[in-house]
Amino acid sequence: LRLLPQQRYLRTERAEVSALERKRNVLCCLITRILKVEKQLHIDNLVFRVIDACQKGELGPGVQFLSFCCHSVDVLSCVLHLLNQGYLRRQEGRPQVLEY
């Protein structure tokens, strides 16, 4: 039996998965921070505020991180994740408004 060296593409995939997980964590933090302050927000306004914060590299007052590109699909995916986890909820009668 000979042990073969680990394939490079496997290391690359792991790095990409790790980067995507970090990006999702940052987006979820941004969403919850914004909604903690606002208490409730229309989903469109939330998406625009998160994207703006990503471009500026701001997690909140006085907290900086490296800016990165995010799209509305990324933010909406994280919103759905947080809804399923029970961190966010839709306002009754107005499902487009999210509450923390």
Side-chain angles (χ1 to χ4, degrees), residues 9-26:
Y9 69 88
L10 291 177
R11 280 184 260 150
T12 303
E13 284 180 7
R14 286 188 193 121
E16 289 173 3
V17 167
S18 179
L20 287 173
E21 286 175 356
R22 283 193 304 272
K23 182 177 180 179
R24 187 179 85 176
N25 289 339
V26 169

Side-chain angles (χ1 to χ4, degrees), residues 10 39 49 86 95-97:
L10 291 177
K39 305 297 184 221
R49 289 187 60 182
Q96 70 277 15
V97 177

Side-chain angles (χ1 to χ4, degrees), residues 44-55:
D44 292 340
N45 292 335
L46 178 62
V47 169
F48 291 126
R49 289 187 60 182
V50 170
I51 290 173
D52 185 53
C54 287
Q55 290 171 348

Side-chain angles (χ1 to χ4, degrees), residues 11-90:
R11 280 184 260 150
T12 303
E13 284 180 7
R14 286 188 193 121
E16 289 173 3
V17 167
S18 179
L20 287 173
E21 286 175 356
R22 283 193 304 272
K23 182 177 180 179
R24 187 179 85 176
N25 289 339
V26 169
L27 289 175
C28 287
C29 286
L30 281 169
I31 291 166
T32 55
R33 275 185 173 245
I34 291 169
L35 281 174
K36 275 184 180 181
V37 171
E38 297 295 329
K39 305 297 184 221
Q40 65 181 19
L41 202 57
H42 192 282
I43 193 163
D44 292 340
N45 292 335
L46 178 62
V47 169
F48 291 126
R49 289 187 60 182
V50 170
I51 290 173
D52 185 53
C54 287
Q55 290 171 348
K56 292 179 181 175
E58 298 173 348
L59 189 54
V63 181
Q64 298 284 321
F65 66 93
L66 293 176
S67 63
F68 59 88
C69 179
C70 77
H71 302 282
S72 58
V73 174
D74 301 326
V75 178
L76 291 171
S77 173
C78 289
V79 166
L80 287 175
H81 175 73
L82 291 170
L83 281 168
N84 288 332
Q85 295 293 317
Y87 292 109
L88 305 180
R89 63 183 170 161
R90 294 179 186 270

